[in-house]
């Protein structure tokens, strides 16, 4: 498209937002084309376009709203009235995607989605995209998306789930949501949206290279290859650059055009008249075929990556000018004038009126309250309603289902002899899948094989493949799927095969799942109970990757609940509470299963059977934060521990009693995040001496938190010692025991305390 003005001195200006703004005005003023007879609504805007006059007018308005929100942000940022300047300028064509989809199609959006949002707002009469966006830009407490916690594109009524700024991290959950939409029917779950919905997910060209994006594309294709539906529309908004790094010309098309089972469509996002039909084809294909669809939307980026990106300092003026000439708003202005739908005055009038509206909204937003207390900030992070959680955890109104699942009264697990951890986790999972018809259990090898340790054995047979199934080998995607199911109102129980493999997918919990309630001000939630086979001391299966003892990466995730049982009955009761926390309060929970205790039956001597326990009746649960105390009245020494440390401490206690004459209390924390500081302090208060036994690593392990709780509780002056794992990876075979604490280390520490 030729631009009817030449590079003037002004165009060399430092402030490219001003230049882009002025370009639009001059373009309209200087435009000299032939004007057609204006089409009526229902008639196409230009010959050959499938977009009608009304559609064009509305899209144009959405584009202008998006543009003026950007311009406003640049001006008011320096006045400290706006706190975010990553804009949508050049991407306003994504309004077409919004127009051609429904407001009930869940959308996971790129940060350049101003046009999309303004257009989607039309779908519900009475909503105001300008004011809502202005409130978010201003970090106002009244921001309907995040309550002032982030400038996000989000809306509960419009099914736009707020996303973080981590690029590509939203693709796995978008695919997960698409898969969930289809799976709901198979498990008889009622969706909160129409059955033929699709999930929409947009991202940039540079982001498409990210491992997390590739994971989602691969999993989508893996799904479609098996002829399973995955109605996700991946919208790659290709502006040819990521901050300052150019995407090789043609890379996106070359990379995706011929991928099997990822159906590629191209659309010109710079030209509404041209692009509309192209976007329409992609959307219809996705909705009709239920296949993963890749829409390559051509965009450009004007005004830099963000307000802080002074492109003129690192790009040539000629290059900048060329980019600014490709501004889609100039093309839209051309269509508006050529079609006869707008006179120059009318178009400039609309442009200026939109500017005024955006500034007025921003000033209004600036006058509203912001978050001013820590309590306000944290309110949606980790909701907890103890009474409701307790009632839900203890709810046992599914007796008939239990009878069917376990095969009769006599076979109910609470009627059977005491069993070990692996069996009781399996029984508890049978119970919970019976209790929650919307619950799904999935992961690597969990179905027919029943998991590497056979913990999930039988579940697939009992609950069938639509509720208990194997996933592809990809932890990021397992957790993406979990979020997708949760978004659709189900209760996912994803399994991560080993703790070491959680770490390579950690961001799906840290950055994504655990942050959703926070960044949506509690409007969206993705409850889940993530089971992770964890910790060291395996005799038959060595090495770090099967014996990882680092809980640190979980402990510092805000809002995450982490539980770690040491025995079967606790595991069952803990799982009930975790499911209740997920169901009632939407919490994201991690359940760490100590692998080495799965099959442990004995405590002191071989054959004593003292580490097997009665299965708790379904009405029994435990409270979040509640520990288990052994030898409650003993106070010569109190050992704080969890997981493998519990039987270890109990064994050591016998030796210590014999050797030192001390009576030893053992406190199983059971809940590792949040740590129950008050409980720890209360237990420390009556102790003469204290040991903290943490099988995890010395640095940043649970033990540090326990010691802190003791010190802050005022008991730091008591004789106190830590027995912890070394700061190293766990080696193979017997060498592992050099790294991990053992019974003898606990006894030795007690001796040291005795020696003063
Ligand atoms: C995982 C991650 N790495 C790096 C960044 C920093 N970052 C933010 S945007 C961006 C470039 C993205 O480019 P592209 O995907 O093309 O989107 P565009 O901004 O061009 O629309 C980078 C590197 C990030 N947000 N997340
Ligand atoms: Mg880009």
């Amino acid at each position: 498209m030729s631009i009817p003005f030449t590079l003037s001195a002004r165009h060399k200006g430092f402030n490219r937002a001003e230049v882009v703004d002025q370009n639009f005005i001059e373009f309209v003023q200087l435009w000299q084309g032939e004007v057609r007879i204006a089409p009526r609504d229902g008639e196409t805007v230009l010959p050959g376009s499938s977009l009608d006059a009304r559609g064009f007018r509305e899209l144009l308005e959405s584009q202008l709203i998006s543009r003026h929100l950007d311009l406003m942000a640049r001006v008011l940022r320096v006045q400290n009235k706006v706190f975010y300047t990553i804009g949508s300028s050049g991407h306003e064509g994504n309004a077409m995607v919004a127009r051609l989809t429904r407001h009930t199609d869940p959308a996971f959006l790129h940060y350049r989605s101003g046009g999309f949002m303004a257009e989607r707002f039309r779908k519900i009469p009475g909503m105001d995209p300008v004011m809502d966006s202005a409130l978010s830009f201003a970090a106002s407490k009244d921001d309907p998306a995040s309550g002032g916690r982030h400038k996000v594109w989000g809306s509960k009524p419009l099914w736009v789930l707020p996303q973080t700024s981590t690029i590509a991290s939203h693709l796995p959950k978008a695919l997960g949501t698409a898969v969930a939409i289809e799976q709901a029917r198979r498990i008889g779950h009622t969706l909160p949206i129409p059955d033929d919905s699709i999930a929409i997910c947009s991202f940039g060209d540079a982001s498409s290279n990210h491992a997390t994006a590739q994971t989602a594309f691969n999993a989508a294709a893996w799904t479609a290859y098996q002829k399973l539906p995955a109605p996700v529309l991946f919208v790659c908004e290709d502006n040819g650059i990521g901050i300052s790094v150019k995407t090789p010309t043609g890379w996106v098309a070359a990379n995706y055009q011929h991928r099997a089972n990822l159906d590629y469509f191209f659309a010109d996002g710079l030209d509404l008249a041209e692009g509309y039909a192209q976007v329409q084809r992609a959307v219809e294909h996705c909705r009709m075929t239920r296949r993963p669809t890749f829409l390559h939307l051509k965009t450009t980026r004007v005004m830099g990556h963000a307000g802080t990106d002074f492109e003129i300092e690192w790009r040539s003026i000629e290059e900048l000018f060329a980019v600014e000439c490709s501004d889609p708003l100039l093309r839209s202005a051309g269509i508006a004038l050529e079609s006869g739908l707008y006179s120059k005055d009318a178009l400039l009038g609309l442009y200026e009126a939109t500017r005024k509206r955006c500034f007025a909204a921003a000033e209004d937003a600036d006058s509203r309250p912001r978050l001013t207390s820590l309590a306000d900030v944290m309110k949606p992070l980790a909701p907890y309603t103890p009474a409701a959680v307790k009632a839900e955890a203890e709810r046992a109104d599914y007796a008939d289902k239990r009878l069917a699942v376990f095969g009769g009264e006599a076979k109910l697990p609470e009627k059977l002899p005491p069993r070990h951890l692996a069996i009781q986790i399996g029984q508890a999972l049978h119970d919970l899948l019976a209790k929650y018809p919307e619950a799904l259990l999935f992961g690597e090898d969990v179905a027919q094989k029943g998991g590497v340790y056979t913990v999930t054995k039988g579940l697939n047979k009992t609950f069938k493949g639509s509720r208990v199934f194997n996933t592809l080998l990809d932890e990021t995607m397992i957790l993406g799927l979990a979020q997708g199911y949760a978004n659709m109102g189900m209760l996912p129980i994803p399994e991560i095969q080993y703790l070491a493999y959680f770490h390579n997918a950690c961001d799906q919990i840290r950055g994504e799942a655990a942050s959703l309630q926070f960044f949506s001000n509690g409007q969206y939630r993705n409850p889940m109970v993530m089971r992770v086979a964890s910790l060291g001391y395996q005799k038959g299966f060595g090495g770090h990757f099967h014996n990882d003892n680092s809980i640190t990466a979980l402990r510092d995730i805000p809002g995450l609940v982490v539980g770690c049982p040491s025995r079967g009955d606790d595991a069952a009761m803990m799982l009930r509470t975790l499911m209740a926390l997920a169901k009632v309060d939407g919490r994201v929970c991690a359940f760490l299963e100590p692998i080495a205790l799965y099959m442990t039956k004995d405590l002191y001597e071989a054959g004593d059977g003292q580490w097997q326990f009665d299965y708790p009746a379904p009405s029994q649960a435990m409270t979040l934060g509640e520990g288990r105390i052994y030898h409650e009245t003993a106070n010569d020494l109190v050992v704080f521990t969890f997981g493998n440390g519990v039987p270890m401490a109990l064994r050591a206690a016998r030796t210590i009693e014999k050797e030192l004459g001390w009576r030893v209390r053992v406190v199983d924390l059971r809940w590792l995040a949040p740590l129950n500081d008050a409980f720890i302090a209360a237990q420390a208060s009556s102790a003469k001496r204290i040991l903290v036994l943490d099988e995890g690593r010395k640095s940043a392990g649970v033990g540090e938190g326990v010691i802190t709780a003791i010190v802050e509780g005022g008991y730091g002056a008591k004789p106190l010692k830590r027995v912890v794992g070394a700061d190293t990876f766990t080696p193979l075979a017997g060498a592992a025991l050099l790294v991990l604490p053992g019974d003898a280390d606990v006894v030795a520490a007690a001796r040291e305390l005795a020696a003063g």
Side-chain angles (χ1 to χ4, degrees):
M1 178 176 42
S2 66
I3 301 297
F5 44 70
T6 51
L7 186 61
S8 67
R10 182 177 49 73
H11 293 121
K12 292 184 178 146
F14 189 71
N15 186 333
R16 301 317 292 177
E18 276 177 14
V19 173
V20 166
D21 189 12
Q22 198 57 35
N23 278 352
F24 185 90
I25 295 165
E26 279 187 25
F27 177 89
V28 175
Q29 285 169 343
L30 300 176
W31 187 83
Q32 291 175 334
E34 211 171 293
V35 177
R36 296 168 186 274
I37 297 167
R40 285 191 292 252
D41 289 353
E43 294 175 357
T44 60
V45 62
L46 287 180
S49 172
S50 70
L51 179 62
D52 85 327
R54 178 171 164 213
F56 172 74
R57 276 200 315 269
E58 293 185 353
L59 283 170
L60 173 68
E61 275 176 34
S62 297
Q63 291 189 309
L64 292 178
I65 286 171
S66 176
R67 175 60 56 91
H68 277 298
L69 284 171
D70 283 1
L71 292 170
M72 171 278 289
R74 297 294 171 100
V75 174
L76 296 188
R77 172 67 210 101
V78 283
Q79 297 175 29
N80 255 352
K81 293 178 175 175
V82 154
F83 301 92
Y84 193 86
T85 55
I86 296 184
S88 307
S89 297
H91 286 243
E92 291 91 345
N94 56 29
M96 292 187 285
V97 180
R99 188 168 187 87
L100 288 161
T101 52
R102 307 175 188 151
H103 77 275
T104 44
D105 290 329
F108 304 81
L109 298 180
H110 190 41
Y111 43 74
R112 303 203 193 281
S113 295
F116 181 102
M117 286 303 286
E119 187 62 29
R120 190 168 262 212
F121 266 81
R122 288 180 198 290
K123 310 258 177 183
I124 299 185
M127 291 187 74
D128 180 359
V130 174
M131 195 59 215
D132 278 13
S133 304
L135 288 164
S136 194
F137 273 110
S140 162
K141 218 172 147 176
D142 295 342
D143 158 28
S146 79
R149 285 171 188 80
H150 193 36
K151 160 67 193 69
V152 281
W153 298 121
S155 165
K156 180 70 179 167
L158 294 172
W159 274 99
V160 178
L161 293 85
Q163 299 311 311
T164 63
S165 292
T166 313
I167 55 97
S169 58
H170 55 308
L171 273 68
K173 61 180 154 180
L175 171 61
T177 302
V179 168
I181 288 169
E182 289 293 321
Q183 204 157 333
R185 203 176 308 123
R186 294 201 291 279
I187 71 163
H189 174 72
T190 306
L191 285 171
I193 51 176
D195 284 359
D196 62 345
S197 299
I198 62 173
I200 302 162
C201 177
S202 56
F203 49 90
D205 47 300
S207 307
S208 73
N209 298 299
H210 200 278
T212 315
Q214 293 295 325
T215 262
F217 301 146
N218 179 68
W222 183 87
T223 309
Y225 175 74
Q226 299 171 80
K227 307 223 175 329
L228 295 169
V232 57
L233 181 69
F234 291 121
V235 184
C236 180
E237 300 191 7
D238 183 4
N239 59 18
I241 198 164
I243 302 188
S244 68
V245 180
K246 285 184 195 154
T247 293
T249 309
W251 168 244
V252 175
N255 199 6
Y256 297 99
Q257 225 165 3
H258 304 296
R259 274 212 194 181
N261 293 300
L262 186 57
D263 302 342
Y264 175 92
F265 289 79
F266 173 82
D268 188 349
L270 301 177
D271 185 333
L272 298 181
E274 187 71 26
Y276 196 71
Q278 297 167 326
V279 173
Q280 190 164 25
R281 273 198 288 278
V283 171
E284 281 175 4
H285 174 82
C286 186
R287 197 177 305 282
M288 300 302 294
T289 64
R290 321 302 287 161
R291 281 173 61 79
T293 304
F294 188 99
L295 173 58
H296 180 189
L297 187 69
K298 184 175 172 189
T299 60
T300 189
R301 187 190 79 188
V302 292
M303 295 160 51
H305 177 71
T308 47
D309 176 19
F310 299 110
E311 281 182 294
I312 200 150
E313 291 178 344
W314 59 271
R315 288 180 100 167
S316 75
I317 186 68
E318 288 75 20
E319 196 181 328
L320 270 182
F321 187 57
V323 167
E324 285 158 4
C325 286
S326 69
D327 183 347
L329 260 61
L330 303 183
R331 175 62 190 144
S332 291
I335 298 170
L337 297 171
E338 185 191 336
S339 66
L341 283 172
Y342 290 82
S343 67
K344 291 184 177 186
D345 283 351
L347 186 54
L348 289 177
L350 174 64
Y351 190 71
E352 293 307 328
T354 310
R355 186 198 308 275
K356 243 174 134 174
R357 193 176 155 200
C358 290
F359 270 90
E363 293 293 348
D364 183 353
D366 180 49
S367 71
R368 310 281 190 98
R370 294 198 165 85
L371 291 166
T372 49
S373 75
L374 179 60
D376 267 0
V377 170
M378 291 184 63
K379 202 167 169 202
L381 175 69
Y384 180 39
T385 45
V389 169
K390 182 174 158 60
E392 178 61 26
E394 294 174 355
R395 181 171 65 80
D397 56 356
Y398 56 107
D400 291 354
K401 288 186 188 161
R402 295 191 78 225
L403 286 178
V405 162
F406 291 111
E409 189 78 29
K411 291 187 180 162
L412 289 175
E414 62 271 29
K415 303 264 163 77
L416 300 176
R419 299 305 301 271
H420 51 279
L421 181 69
I423 294 288
Q424 293 199 336
I425 292 176
Q427 289 167 334
L429 291 171
H430 276 85
D431 252 337
L432 290 166
L433 285 168
K435 180 172 176 175
Y436 297 105
E438 72 275 33
L440 304 162
L441 187 143
F442 49 93
E444 294 153 18
D445 305 294
V446 299
Q448 293 80 2
K449 180 174 166 64
V452 173
Y453 297 94
T454 65
V455 171
T456 55
K457 203 164 182 65
L459 288 165
N460 170 260
K461 208 163 169 199
T462 306
F463 296 99
K464 309 294 176 233
S466 50
R467 294 191 61 201
V468 176
F469 50 92
N470 294 327
T471 62
L472 77 177
L473 202 171
D474 182 344
E475 286 74 18
T476 297
M477 203 51 236
I478 290 170
L479 298 176
L481 276 173
Q483 292 168 81
Y485 290 125
N487 288 335
M488 291 296 101
M490 303 177 208
L491 264 184
I493 311 176
E495 175 181 304
I496 300 294
Q497 203 162 66
Y498 286 97
L499 182 57
Y501 309 137
F502 165 73
H503 299 301
N504 72 19
C506 178
D507 179 56
Q508 288 299 308
I509 298 294
R510 175 187 303 280
E512 301 302 308
S515 74
L516 184 64
Q517 295 214 67
F518 184 76
F519 287 120
S520 70
N521 201 14
Q523 297 177 91
Y524 282 107
R525 35 192 265 175
N526 44 23
M528 70 177 74
V529 177
M530 172 180 70
R531 297 176 42 246
V532 191
S534 305
L535 305 173
Y537 301 102
Q538 281 189 83
K539 290 207 175 72
F541 205 24
H544 171 74
F545 304 96
H546 305 120
N547 290 270
D548 187 2
N549 58 346
S550 171
I551 297 167
T552 310
L554 288 158
R555 268 190 76 216
D556 89 323
I557 297 176
L560 184 71
V561 176
V562 184
C564 180
S566 63
R567 46 190 262 187
D569 53 348
D570 279 0
M573 292 190 292
M574 184 180 275
L575 271 172
R576 288 168 192 162
T577 300
L578 292 172
M579 288 294 276
L581 282 161
K583 176 85 183 168
V584 174
D585 288 322
R587 298 293 289 273
V588 179
C589 306
F591 181 71
L592 306 185
E593 302 176 5
I595 302 169
L597 296 178
Y598 272 151
M599 305 304 290
T600 301
K601 301 182 181 82
D602 307 324
L603 178 57
Y604 298 111
E605 282 132 36
D608 71 9
Q610 288 202 44
W611 211 241
Q612 301 192 98
F613 299 90
D614 288 329
Y615 185 80
S619 59
Q620 285 179 261
M622 70 166 83
T623 307
L624 173 64
E626 183 189 349
R628 179 185 283 281
I629 305 162
Y630 298 81
H631 318 149
E632 191 152 5
T633 56
N635 67 355
D636 295 315
L637 176 68
V638 173
V639 183
F640 291 95
T641 190
F642 64 93
N644 292 288
V646 177
M648 188 183 298
L650 288 170
R651 285 190 299 267
R654 274 204 169 173
T655 313
I656 293 166
E657 277 193 47
K658 263 190 228 144
E659 212 179 281
L660 300 173
W662 291 350
R663 293 204 54 237
V664 181
R665 190 189 321 159
V666 175
V667 177
D668 180 358
L669 298 164
R670 301 197 293 199
W671 301 93
L672 306 184
L675 272 181
N676 188 343
D677 291 352
F679 167 72
I680 293 168
Q683 290 300 313
S685 71
S686 53
K688 286 190 190 155
R689 303 166 192 86
I690 297 169
L691 264 187
V692 176
L693 168 56
D694 175 3
E695 64 186 285
R697 298 191 203 139
K698 176 169 178 278
S699 298
V702 175
E704 286 187 356
V706 178
I707 297 277
T708 305
I710 293 167
V711 172
E712 288 183 348
Y715 305 106
K718 296 194 180 198
L720 187 156
K721 271 206 165 298
R722 249 190 326 158
V723 179
V724 291
D727 283 334
T728 178
F729 300 102
T730 310
L732 197 63
L737 301 179
L738 302 170
V739 165
L740 304 170
D743 298 21
D745 299 314
V746 183
V747 175
R751 280 191 203 117
E752 283 174 37
L753 282 174

